[in-house]
Amino acid sequence: MASASESRHGMWSSGWLFILAAAGSAVGLGNIWKFPYIAGENGGGAFVLVYLGCVALVGIPILAGEVLLGRAGRASPINAMRKHVIAASGSPLWVLIGWSGALAGFLILSYYAVIAGWALYYGVKLGEGALVGASIEVANQTFNDFLADPWQLILWQTVFLGGTVWIVARGVIKGLETAIRWFMPLLFLLLVVLLAYAFNSGGFMAGAEFLLSPNWEAMSVDGLLVAMGQAFFTLSLGMGAMMAYGAYVPANASIGNTVITVALLDTVVAIAAGLAIFPIVFANGLEPGQGPGLMFVTIPFAFGQMPFGAVFGVVFFVLVTFAAITSAISLTEPALAYLVEQYNADRSRVAISLGVFCWLLGLGTVFSFNIWSDVHVVAGLSVFEFIDYLTQNVMLPLGGLLIALFVGYVLPKQLAREQLGIDGGIVARLWPLLIGFVAPVGVAVVFVYTIYQSL
Ligand code: TRP
């Protein structure tokens, strides 16, 4: 089909650049604060093994499905799905995958930019020497005071979103690719620096043990579902981000090798992040708390107790910021590419308009932490929690499920085989089973269970 042609938005300069771009999307806040914690809590090495199984059986097939839909369509997810539906004479309802994805990306970015803004703020703050030698109470107070001040949150949200818009406005090659070429190698470098620091912190063995030593007793059905959800979220699946990026993949790149490399890089970064964070936490006799508390109270406090803590604290938050921005730019691409195609619009104008809307919506998240902390959208959820729940627990899994079913049952089998470059052999026989059965069942189980749990 169209895979020999080019996308109107530009093309990645090489297969390797696509790998870096997709890894940039995948490696984000989820790797740095979520993976280490849930792995530690759910049986360490046992969880890591189960998680790897989920990545291999559910994550990689759906990732391959998204990329091949994008590359065969050579357009934004909405228009790529339109082409596929026409070619396969499928129901136009499948195009909802594209719409839901574009909307989900926009919704996720609205809060992602606020949280990433906190990392920027902490980078600057620690650079000024704040929290050096401070008590844990002061570290706590610093975070609470920050959250209580909407103007501060808006300032940093604006800086992060402004940077994101500036990059995406410049286009796929000059914007996205340039950012990826700089930020991804720097991200790996900073991670190695932090690992070396953690290795010498005195808590390395305790941290490594918490993260990696297998404890099968702590691994439960719950842990399996958490592993599946994490495998899905961390690979940026279910909203067309990988489909949009897939549209810019050169025709000669191997999708199979590419997606396996992306999944490996993403996992390596997640484990390395854990090996960098926990030793520092344990070296200071702290408990690894969860979520915002770990990233914005425990870690800044721990750095404040350590030699050269201010310097390495800055390194840590710069790392988080790089990870967040290479994810943020992929969140905008499905909606952005669609609007450019549909209205033949100027990319930078669309980028700025999307940015402004996203900024306005993000105010809901900002105010959730202060002046609207008592406002609940539904079921006691604040605006932030509602958007987070809706996207992560509903829109992304449903999107991923539909993508797997579409590729498995509606898209012509020959087209998928061509895109994947498989013609017989073990992979060709396994592929229909993975994309048509294992992956959709896996996602469906997690989806139903999560909804059931929150009723
Ligand atoms: N993968 C990102 C992370 O680990 C988060 C994420 C989920 C995402 N879905 C996405 C990023 C879609 C970009 C696009 O933090």
Side-chain angles (χ1 to χ4, degrees):
M1 204 171 127
S3 69
S5 68
E6 305 222 327
S7 139
R8 64 177 281 180
H9 306 284
M11 299 288 285
W12 305 119
S13 314
S14 66
W16 176 236
L17 259 145
F18 168 63
I19 292 180
L20 276 191
S25 171
V27 172
L29 299 173
N31 300 58
I32 300 177
W33 85 12
K34 214 165 147 212
F35 176 84
Y37 173 77
I38 58 178
E41 281 298 283
N42 289 287
F47 178 90
V48 173
L49 286 179
V50 172
Y51 163 84
L52 286 176
C54 295
V55 167
L57 297 176
V58 175
I60 290 178
I62 297 184
L63 180 53
E66 282 206 31
V67 175
L68 78 84
L69 286 176
R71 186 165 75 175
R74 286 278 184 247
S76 66
I78 295 173
N79 283 325
M81 286 308 296
R82 283 185 177 149
K83 287 191 197 174
H84 295 315
V85 160
I86 293 170
S89 344
S91 155
L93 283 177
W94 289 106
V95 180
L96 281 176
I97 294 174
W99 286 105
S100 150
L103 180 64
F106 181 74
L107 291 173
I108 296 175
L109 184 59
S110 79
Y111 72 77
Y112 213 79
V114 176
I115 314 272
W118 301 356
L120 274 173
Y121 167 82
Y122 267 86
V124 171
K125 196 88 182 153
L126 295 191
E128 291 168 356
L131 298 181
V132 171
S135 66
I136 189 80
E137 287 77 25
V138 170
N140 240 317
Q141 197 56 41
T142 305
F143 188 44
N144 289 338
D145 290 345
F146 175 56
L147 290 187
D149 184 352
W151 292 109
Q152 278 287 334
L153 301 194
I154 292 173
L155 170 67
W156 296 102
Q157 169 213 19
T158 310
V159 172
F160 183 84
L161 211 47
T164 305
V165 167
W166 186 73
I167 293 171
V168 298
R170 294 165 58 86
V172 174
I173 304 298
K174 269 170 73 190
L176 306 196
E177 201 171 291
T178 308
I180 288 155
R181 275 179 199 271
W182 281 97
F183 292 164
M184 291 310 286
L186 278 170
L187 188 153
F188 294 126
L189 180 72
L190 295 183
L191 197 53
V192 171
V193 169
L194 278 178
L195 271 173
Y197 185 68
F199 194 74
N200 290 307
S201 67
F204 194 76
M205 285 324 283
E209 186 164 340
F210 179 69
L211 183 69
L212 295 177
S213 81
N215 171 7
W216 289 101
E217 261 124 68
M219 182 73 214
S220 55
V221 177
D222 245 25
L224 172 67
L225 296 168
V226 170
M228 192 93 83
Q230 173 68 8
F232 194 78
F233 182 76
T234 191
L235 291 175
S236 304
L237 298 176
M239 56 140 287
M242 294 297 186
M243 215 190 287
Y245 272 15
Y248 315 144
V249 177
N252 60 6
S254 152
I255 293 184
N257 292 342
T258 300
V259 298
I260 291 170
T261 312
V262 170
L264 278 178
L265 282 175
D266 182 66
T267 305
V268 166
V269 172
I271 292 175
L275 289 178
I277 291 172
F278 288 137
I280 295 168
V281 171
F282 286 119
N284 290 283
L286 297 166
E287 283 299 311
Q290 190 184 9
L294 173 62
M295 183 115 112
F296 297 107
V297 179
T298 313
I299 293 176
F301 165 77
F303 278 119
Q305 309 301 308
M306 301 183 51
F308 305 105
V311 179
F312 289 94
V314 173
V315 168
F316 175 77
F317 283 106
V318 171
L319 169 78
V320 174
T321 306
F322 284 163
I325 200 143
T326 52
S327 296
I329 57 181
S330 76
L331 283 165
T332 61
E333 198 59 26
L336 183 61
Y338 173 71
L339 292 170
V340 168
E341 287 162 8
Q342 211 55 23
Y343 302 103
N344 214 357
D346 173 47
R347 188 171 164 109
S348 39
R349 283 205 190 164
V350 176
I352 293 170
S353 324
L354 273 174
V356 169
F357 279 110
C358 212
W359 184 86
L360 284 172
L361 186 63
L363 294 180
T365 291
V366 165
F367 297 151
S368 299
F369 294 97
N370 36 68
I371 56 179
W372 287 357
S373 58
D374 293 327
V375 176
H376 301 308
V377 191
V378 280
L381 298 178
S382 66
V383 177
F384 163 60
E385 288 162 340
F386 174 71
I387 297 181
D388 182 37
Y389 186 90
L390 178 71
T391 50
Q392 231 185 109
N393 293 337
V394 182
M395 295 174 86
L396 300 189
L398 274 183
L401 179 63
L402 293 175
I403 287 166
L405 294 176
F406 183 81
V407 176
Y409 299 102
V410 183
L411 195 76
K413 303 236 171 341
Q414 186 50 32
L415 178 71
R417 276 201 292 268
E418 262 168 41
Q419 282 293 334
L420 293 173
I422 46 175
D423 260 330
I426 177 98
V427 184
R429 255 175 292 148
L430 272 179
W431 167 253
L433 181 72
L434 288 173
I435 195 72
F437 183 73
V438 179
V441 169
V443 180
V445 168
V446 177
F447 174 64
V448 171
Y449 185 79
T450 326
I451 302 294
Y452 168 77
Q453 259 186 333
S454 45
L455 290 180

